Amino acid sequence: NGLTFDGKGRLVLAEHGDRRIAVLTEGGGKITVADRFEGKRLNSPNDVVVHTDGSIFFTDPIYGLPKGEKDPTREIDFCGVYRIGTDGKVTVISKDIERPNGIALSHDEKTLFVANSHKGKFNIYSFPLNADGTAGEMKVFFDANKLEGKGSTDGLKTDDKGNVWSTGPGGLLIISKEGKLLGRALTFQPTANVNFGGADGKSV
């Protein structure tokens, strides 16, 4: 599902079906970075972002499980936000978001943003990050529940000005670093992902 590159230029994958975070190696192989938390198999990793220190943050809702939250193969009873340290240890950032989906780091990497795609809770949450990779108190960064249009808060990206770009009701939301809605690009259909393109990063 979610894709990103690490500092070595390797493709990092959040794999719904195989229920793991994996990396494509230079020679074309694939290695598992994490598939369990405290011995229990992950639900279905959805999105992933890599810190410049090499640590990995990812979301783990139940969207990839054939029977969702009632799937008999489910082993973890919450939908988590996690960090994988450079030592490979998996720690939980949050157990309190109903359906954590898109994930992004602020440009200065001091804040982690997570989108919730649970109906009635279309929020983007923020977590201050400490130097050791631990996270502080979760706060509502932006509430999208009153916006008109189809779609939920899902894919996330941030720019060098601190703005947060998120899919959401109506299409694409552009939100200031203070959490104020600057505008929307209306797509008139549910929109799930966003990324920057082009050499100058000015295409979305």
Side-chain angles (χ1 to χ4, degrees):
N1 197 70
L3 302 171
T4 193
F5 289 99
D6 66 11
K8 299 177 182 179
R10 303 179 303 177
L11 186 64
V12 183
L13 309 94
E15 297 191 345
H16 256 2
D18 285 338
R19 299 168 67 175
R20 65 179 177 172
I21 298 296
V23 170
L24 292 183
T25 60
E26 186 177 351
K30 186 189 292 186
I31 57 174
T32 297
V33 179
D35 63 358
R36 296 178 184 275
F37 172 66
E38 295 184 344
K40 296 181 179 180
R41 196 174 181 192
L42 297 172
N43 293 320
S44 58
N46 182 282
D47 201 8
V48 59
V49 66
V50 180
H51 195 282
T52 53
D53 68 6
S55 59
I56 297 171
F57 296 88
F58 70 96
T59 56
D60 187 43
I62 43 79
Y63 294 132
L65 298 177
K67 295 184 179 180
E69 61 185 348
K70 296 182 180 180
D71 196 278
T73 67
R74 186 181 182 189
E75 298 180 18
I76 297 176
D77 62 1
F78 62 89
C79 294
V81 180
Y82 297 93
R83 176 183 183 267
I84 308 171
T86 54
D87 60 357
K89 183 179 180 181
V90 180
T91 55
V92 66
I93 297 291
S94 175
K95 299 180 180 180
D96 300 324
I97 302 176
E98 291 85 353
R99 297 292 183 268
N101 201 327
I103 191 167
L105 288 164
S106 60
H107 192 66
D108 61 8
E109 298 187 321
K110 293 182 179 180
T111 306
L112 181 71
F113 296 100
V114 179
N116 188 3
S117 295
H118 193 59
K119 189 173 183 179
K121 292 286 186 72
F122 292 161
N123 296 324
I124 299 171
Y125 297 99
S126 63
F127 299 83
L129 294 179
N130 302 313
D132 62 358
T134 58
E137 181 182 0
M138 179 178 80
K139 295 182 178 180
V140 176
F141 172 73
F142 184 77
D143 182 342
N145 291 284
K146 294 182 180 180
L147 296 178
E148 295 183 358
K150 296 179 180 180
S152 65
T153 40
D154 190 339
L156 290 179
K157 285 292 183 288
T158 59
D159 64 25
D160 58 4
K161 294 182 175 62
N163 300 316
V164 175
W165 298 65
S166 173
T167 60
L172 177 64
L173 317 179
I174 302 96
I175 307 161
S176 73
K177 60 184 178 181
E178 293 80 23
K180 178 183 177 181
L181 181 65
L182 300 177
R184 290 193 293 171
L186 301 178
T187 61
F188 304 103
Q189 60 184 345
T191 305
N193 295 304
V194 59
N195 200 0
F196 298 116
D200 58 5
K202 292 183 178 181
S203 300
V204 179

